[in-house]
Amino acid sequence: MDDNPLQVLTVATAPYPDQRPGTSGLRKKVYVFQSRRNYLQNFIQSIFSSIDLRDRQGSTMVVGGDGRFFNQTAIEVIVQMAAANGVGHLIIGHRGIMSTSAVSCVIRKYKAIGGIVLTASHNPGGPEGDFGIKFNTANGGPAQEAVTNKIFQISRTIEEFAICPGLRVDLASLGKQMFDLENKFKPFTVEIVDSVESYANLLRNIFDFAALKELLSGENHIKIKLDAMHGVLGPYVRRIICEELGTPANSAINCVPMEDFGGQHPDPNLTYAADLVDTMRDGQYDFGAAFDGDGDRNMILGKHGFFVTPSDSVAVIAANIFCIPYFQQTGVRGFARSMPTSSALDKVAKATKIELYETPTGWKFFGNLMDAGRLSLCGEESFGTGGDHIREKDGLWAVLAWLSILAARRQSVEEIVKDHWLKYGRNYYTRYDYEDVDLDAACEMMEDLELLMVDKSFVGQRFAVGDKIYQVEKADNFEYTDPVDSTISRNQGLRIIFSDGSRIIYRLSGTGSGGATIRIYLDSYEKEHIFQDTQVMLANLATIALKISQLHGRTGRSGPSVIT
C-alpha cells in the first residue's frame, strides 16, 4: 500500500440515449465501448448511482467476466470507479475471469450487495465482436426491471462520474491488495480470488462426488467429451471434472479461455458446437456437453450425437430430481419454465403434483420465485437450466445433474430420454432463429402480426395443412403477473395456441447487439407417435407460422439462420 493517498476525481460527461439494459444487461459491439467517449464510465457510474449511498459506503461487490476482448480494460475502470464511489471491498476472479454462475455463488457466499458481470454470453468475442455489462443484485441474480430501469434513467441524465485514475490492481496475484484514497478513512480493498474453488465447494454440497467419480473413472466408467468452446468454463471443467472426478484430461476440449473464443461463436447448439456433435457421432463417447462463453448455458448429447432439447433436459432432470442429494435434503418446492420453452416440464409437474410456473424469458423471474421459497428447478429453451443453489442458470450444474441421473439409473442418455417419452409423452419442439434482421422490418412485422392476432375473427380460424386441420383456440401477447410481488410484465411474446395444444410463438430477442433476431418457436405434444423426426413432425406448424407472419416476404429471408 502506497504512502501517498490516491486522488479521487469527478469528471464531467454527457449522456448517451442508448444505454437501456436488455434481459441480460447492456450489450454492444466492442467498438461502441472503445470509440464513444466515457461510454463505459457512464454506464458503470449509472450502476453505482442506482445503489443508495448508505448501502454503497464500505460495501462488498463482486466483479468477473468471461475473458472476452475488452474484459481486462473494463475491469480496470470498474475498480477505479468502485473505489471512488465508496465501495469498500471488491472481489474479483483471478485474471478477471469468473463464470456467471460463479459470480452468483460468490455474491451469495460473501453477502455482497451485488456484482458486475462482464459478458455477452453466447455472442462472438474479439475486437469485432460483442461486449456486455450486467448488474446482479444481492440475491446473486440479474437485477429486476425496476433496478435496470433506474440505471437507464440515470444514464440518460448523467453529468459526471467519480474515478480514481491512479489506482492499479494486479489481477494475476491471488490475495488482498489495499489502497489508501484521499478523504477516505478506511483503505479500499481488492481481493483476487480463485473463483473455481468457491464454486466447486458449492457443487460438492449438492452432488454425490463419490458416485460421480465412480461413474467417470471407476471400473465400469463411461467416456465423456466436454467442449468449453474457449469460454470461461474451461478452468472449471478441468479442475472439477478432470482433476477431481478423474475423467481423462483429453475428455475436455477448448478449455483455454480466449478473448475471441478461438474465432468461434461460443453458443452451445447444433450449429455452433458442430465439432462436438461430429465427435459424438461415431459412438466412442457415452455423454457429451458444450458450454457457452460465460458458462451458464449447456447442450446435452448422448451416444452417436443423440440431442437432448433444453426443454426435454429440464423435464428429465425434474422427473429424476431425487438422484441429486441436494433435493433429497431440501425437497422440491416448485418447477418453472420460460413461456417459449416446451410444456414437457408441465407433464412432470402434473404427475408429481408439484407447482409449475410459466414465466417470461429472463432468469430474474425465476430468482424472484426462488427467493420466496417457491421454486427449486427451472429451465429455458435457450439452453439454460438451473436450481435454487444460486440465482443464475448454471451449465456445469446441469451436466453434473445429468451425470448423477446416469450414475443412478445406469442407462444411456437416449434410453433415459426415450423412457421419459414413453411415460409422459413427447413434446416435439424446435426454434427458428432469423439473426441480424433489419430492426424496422422486424418491428413492423411483429406489430402487424399482433394486430392480426388480436382481431376477434382470428380465434376459431382453421388452417389446413396436408391431412391435418389446426384451429386457433387462443391468441395473445403473453403477460405475466409475478405471484410474489404482483408486478406485471407485458408484451413477452406473441402466442398462438391451437385446439390440440400445439403452440406457435414469435419473439424479438433482447440479447443481441446488432440487428434484430426474430425467433419462432414450434411446440406440439404427442402421446402415441413419439419416435419420429422432429422437423417432419413440425413441418405443418412451420408452414402455418410462416404463412401467418409472412416472415420471409417481410424480411427478405429464405430461411432461418439457425434451427435448434
Side-chain angles (χ1 to χ4, degrees):
M1 199 159 65
D2 205 312
D3 288 342
N4 296 320
L6 294 164
Q7 192 177 19
V8 176
L9 299 181
T10 300
V11 181
T13 190
Y16 291 94
D18 64 344
Q19 293 194 328
R20 182 188 287 278
T23 49
S24 299
L26 180 70
R27 288 189 187 169
K28 301 287 179 185
K29 291 292 181 189
V30 169
Y31 70 77
V32 173
F33 289 97
Q34 289 179 315
S35 63
R36 295 188 187 173
R37 183 177 174 83
N38 298 331
Y39 195 83
L40 171 68
Q41 288 87 340
N42 279 19
F43 191 70
I44 298 302
Q45 184 61 57
S46 300
I47 290 174
F48 287 131
S49 297
S50 75
I51 305 165
D52 190 284
L53 183 60
R54 288 166 298 184
D55 295 329
R56 205 164 69 216
Q57 213 67 40
S59 65
T60 296
M61 289 187 74
V62 179
V63 178
D66 59 15
R68 67 179 56 234
F69 184 81
F70 200 65
N71 195 61
Q72 296 218 2
T73 304
I75 288 177
E76 185 170 286
V77 171
I78 290 166
V79 171
Q80 293 171 349
M81 292 184 67
N85 276 278
V87 174
H89 181 202
L90 212 54
I91 299 168
I92 306 177
H94 189 220
R95 302 189 188 280
I97 289 177
M98 195 185 293
S99 77
T100 292
S101 312
V103 170
S104 184
C105 162
V106 173
I107 288 171
R108 293 169 69 81
K109 177 182 175 182
Y110 288 91
K111 295 183 170 53
I113 64 161
I116 296 174
V117 193
L118 302 173
T119 178
S121 187
H122 53 294
N123 293 9
E128 307 301 316
D130 293 354
F131 189 74
I133 306 168
K134 186 172 79 160
F135 178 55
N136 282 24
T137 46
N139 73 343
Q144 295 291 329
E145 203 165 340
V147 176
T148 56
N149 283 343
K150 187 176 179 184
I151 292 168
F152 177 53
Q153 293 306 328
I154 293 167
S155 77
R156 293 175 66 187
T157 56
I158 190 170
E159 295 180 348
E160 61 186 30
F161 62 86
I163 192 164
C164 186
L167 200 159
R168 294 284 181 272
V169 67
D170 179 4
L171 296 175
S173 298
L174 290 170
K176 291 184 177 178
Q177 299 166 42
M178 303 183 81
F179 304 90
D180 261 338
L181 273 59
E182 63 178 12
N183 302 327
K184 304 282 181 186
F185 298 114
K186 288 184 179 176
F188 172 67
T189 304
V190 175
E191 187 174 357
I192 310 298
V193 299
D194 175 358
S195 65
V196 178
E197 189 47 44
S198 288
Y199 175 71
N201 202 44
L202 180 65
L203 295 182
R204 289 183 198 108
N205 291 319
I206 295 170
F207 299 101
D208 182 346
F209 268 38
L212 292 173
K213 188 166 187 173
E214 181 63 26
L215 176 77
L216 296 176
S217 57
E219 196 175 337
N220 297 310
H221 68 272
I222 63 168
K223 291 186 73 178
I224 69 172
K225 202 74 171 176
L226 304 181
D227 186 352
M229 300 187 87
H230 289 301
V232 72
L233 222 50
Y236 295 78
V237 169
R238 279 184 166 165
R239 185 98 63 87
I240 297 166
I241 304 286
C242 300
E243 292 174 21
E244 186 157 354
L245 297 179
T247 198
N250 63 4
S251 301
I253 58 172
N254 299 325
C255 279
V256 177
M258 297 176 76
E259 289 192 332
D260 66 348
F261 306 108
Q264 302 301 308
H265 198 129
D267 194 353
N269 60 36
L270 297 171
T271 300
Y272 296 121
D275 288 352
L276 176 67
V277 177
D278 290 342
T279 301
M280 294 295 295
R281 281 210 175 102
D282 67 4
Q284 186 183 347
Y285 298 97
D286 302 292
F287 178 88
F291 308 100
D292 72 337
D294 64 325
D296 60 353
R297 298 177 192 230
N298 72 96
M299 177 176 71
I300 304 295
L301 299 170
K303 203 166 191 167
H304 303 296
F306 180 85
F307 171 60
V308 183
T309 70
S311 298
D312 277 343
S313 180
V314 69
V316 169
I317 294 171
N320 296 275
I321 199 161
F322 294 116
C323 294
I324 301 167
Y326 173 85
F327 294 112
Q328 295 170 18
Q329 294 157 14
T330 65
V332 181
R333 300 180 181 94
F335 297 138
R337 61 169 177 83
S338 64
M339 182 274 287
T341 303
S342 96
S343 55
L345 182 61
D346 307 33
K347 312 298 186 293
V348 179
K350 187 177 180 182
T352 53
K353 294 183 171 60
I354 289 169
E355 187 78 27
L356 185 283
Y357 300 92
E358 182 182 33
T359 73
T361 298
W363 213 259
K364 60 192 175 191
F365 297 103
F366 297 143
N368 231 22
L369 293 165
M370 288 175 182
D371 287 347
R374 295 189 183 201
L375 179 60
S376 297
L377 172 72
C378 51
E380 293 184 332
E381 49 69 37
S382 52
F383 296 88
T385 321
D388 62 352
H389 60 297
I390 55 173
R391 297 296 181 265
E392 287 279 9
K393 43 189 174 266
D394 192 341
L396 196 50
W397 177 94
V399 163
L400 292 180
W402 265 95
L403 292 173
S404 299
I405 294 166
L406 294 183
R409 291 186 51 168
R410 286 290 166 179
Q411 289 177 287
S412 71
V413 171
E414 186 170 351
E415 286 168 342
I416 288 166
V417 173
K418 287 184 171 176
D419 277 0
H420 185 90
W421 294 339
L422 284 166
K423 182 173 181 180
Y424 296 100
R426 179 180 180 185
N427 279 80
Y428 286 97
Y429 185 84
T430 195
R431 186 180 95 187
Y432 288 8
D433 287 13
Y434 293 81
E435 297 174 342
D436 289 322
V437 175
D438 177 77
L439 184 60
D440 290 338
C443 290
E444 282 176 22
M445 188 207 88
M446 293 293 283
E447 285 166 12
D448 290 348
L449 181 57
E450 184 170 5
L451 285 173
L452 176 75
M453 286 170 51
V454 298
D455 190 286
K456 286 177 183 172
S457 65
F458 189 71
V459 171
Q461 271 194 38
R462 295 150 71 90
F463 294 88
V465 185
D467 59 351
K468 200 165 177 186
I469 294 172
Y470 294 82
Q471 184 167 2
V472 178
E473 189 172 275
K474 184 178 181 180
D476 65 6
N477 194 334
F478 181 60
E479 186 175 292
Y480 175 70
T481 302
D482 193 303
V484 178
D485 59 20
S486 299
T487 54
I488 298 171
S489 302
R490 297 183 170 89
N491 304 315
Q492 296 298 316
L494 302 178
R495 297 190 298 177
I496 302 171
I497 303 170
F498 296 96
S499 54
D500 68 346
S502 299
R503 300 187 305 157
I504 297 171
I505 293 152
Y506 304 88
R507 284 186 72 246
L508 276 182
S509 173
T511 57
S513 70
T517 295
I518 300 172
R519 295 202 164 112
I520 300 179
Y521 310 81
L522 308 172
D523 180 17
S524 182
Y525 177 71
E526 288 281 346
K527 186 65 180 164
E528 305 297 331
H529 308 289
I530 56 174
F531 299 128
Q532 306 303 310
D533 178 82
T534 297
Q535 297 305 323
V536 170
M537 293 296 286
L538 292 173
N540 289 349
L541 267 187
T543 300
I544 296 169
L546 293 171
K547 181 181 177 182
I548 292 171
S549 64
Q550 300 177 351
L551 188 146
H552 288 171
R554 301 288 299 260
T555 63
R557 296 297 175 91
S558 57
S561 317
V562 178
I563 296 177
T564 303

